[in-house]
Amino acid sequence: MADRKATNKYYPPEYFDEYLEKGGKGGINTFRGEHPLRERAKKLKDGILRVRFEMPFNIWCNGCENHIGKGVRYNADKSKVGNYHSTPIYSFRMKCHLCDNYIEIRTDPQARDYVVYSGGKRKVEEWTAADAETIDLSNVGTAEGDRGGVDPFASLEKEVAQLKKAEEGKKRLNSLKRDRDSRFRDDYASSQRLRSIFRTEKKAIAEKKKEDDKLKKKLGVSIPLATPKASDAEKAKSVIASRINQPVSSNHCGELAVREGS
């Protein structure tokens, strides 16, 4: 029953018999006097919400000096602690799973990163994009990355190539539009033409099936017949002609003479 309550699928009889009949207009959570988030919203009046937080990087705990790897998940208290311009700064406070020390990690909108505010120390991992064989995206979106790190000639060549590609795409699109308009300008006429083609093909298939059935019945076979080809007729004629023009052997002539004498 607890799992049904967690998803608000269980409605006790008191909810209908007492609450709704007396003019109650709230949902099942209002009837129970509980928040939809249950225990997670226990400190919501203080601006704290319990969330599931995943460690964004490797850190060292100041309490037990143990290493906590990236991706380890905790039940953290999330709260708003300030603003960077119009972007809120959030704090995530959680207890280390190896000791009683509390670690607080905050968002850093300016650097688009997280910072360890208290209770721990971030593990310093210095590397370059060349070492990791990746593309350096650290300056993307900044003035230095947008202007200082771009070759103007390469940018111009790229822009010219994009314009050329767009012009070719525009020509092809116009060609497709003209082709569509020429074929399907009148929907009724197009549908009528397609139906006529379909009826003609259906009639031809029915006639061929009738002829094939007649031939199979004559030959006494039940296998499907292949579509005849002009080359098949030429091969058949050549085989028949070779049999007609084949010379008769002497033994065969002697046998014929004996049969006539007898």
Side-chain angles (χ1 to χ4, degrees), residues 5-206:
K5 291 181 179 179
T7 53
N8 296 335
K9 291 183 178 179
Y10 174 73
Y11 291 82
E14 295 82 5
Y15 176 74
F16 301 98
D17 299 338
E18 300 178 5
Y19 183 68
L20 294 182
E21 288 184 0
K22 293 181 180 180
K25 297 183 180 180
I28 188 65
N29 294 310
T30 305
F31 170 72
R32 290 202 185 100
E34 297 177 349
H35 193 276
L37 297 178
R38 310 287 177 183
E39 291 78 9
R40 292 176 53 195
K42 188 182 298 183
K43 302 178 182 179
L44 196 59
K45 60 182 180 180
D46 300 327
I48 299 175
L49 177 65
R50 179 63 61 90
V51 297
R52 193 70 172 163
F53 181 78
E54 183 174 321
M55 195 64 65
F57 38 65
N58 299 319
I59 69 169
W60 301 96
C61 177
N62 289 344
C64 57
E65 299 295 333
N66 283 315
H67 175 265
I68 300 176
K70 176 182 178 181
V72 179
R73 297 179 179 179
Y74 294 93
N75 293 327
D77 292 336
K78 176 183 176 181
S79 60
K80 181 181 177 182
V81 294
N83 287 290
Y84 173 73
H85 298 294
S86 60
T87 304
I89 300 175
Y90 292 106
S91 169
F92 300 90
R93 189 172 183 269
M94 66 213 79
K95 183 181 178 182
C96 176
H97 66 288
L98 300 173
C99 65
D100 295 333
N101 180 52
Y102 280 87
I103 304 171
E104 184 177 353
I105 296 179
R106 294 186 177 183
T107 58
D108 185 6
Q110 183 177 4
R112 293 172 293 179
D113 200 359
Y114 291 89
V115 294
V116 182
Y117 184 75
S118 63
K121 180 176 62 175
R122 182 172 182 175
K123 182 180 179 182
V124 179
E125 297 176 327
E126 295 182 354
W127 54 273
T128 62
D131 296 335
E133 298 181 355
T134 58
I135 301 174
D136 186 8
L137 301 177
S138 58
N139 292 328
V140 175
T142 62
E144 181 181 357
D146 293 342
R147 292 192 294 270
V150 178
D151 185 2
F153 289 101
S155 178
L156 181 60
E157 292 176 357
K158 183 178 180 181
E159 183 178 358
V160 172
Q162 290 177 346
L163 291 175
K164 184 178 179 180
K165 186 176 180 180
E167 187 65 26
E168 293 177 355
K170 186 177 180 180
K171 292 180 180 179
R172 176 169 175 78
L173 181 61
N174 292 332
S175 176
L176 292 174
K177 287 182 178 179
R178 288 193 298 269
D179 184 67
R180 181 198 62 186
D181 294 340
S182 63
R183 293 187 179 185
F184 306 105
R185 184 180 298 275
D186 189 351
D187 295 338
Y188 178 78
S190 301
S191 178
Q192 187 180 23
R193 183 170 61 254
L194 291 175
R195 290 198 302 270
S196 177
I197 295 174
F198 174 75
R199 285 194 296 267
T200 303
E201 293 179 352
K202 185 178 180 181
K203 184 178 180 181
I205 293 173

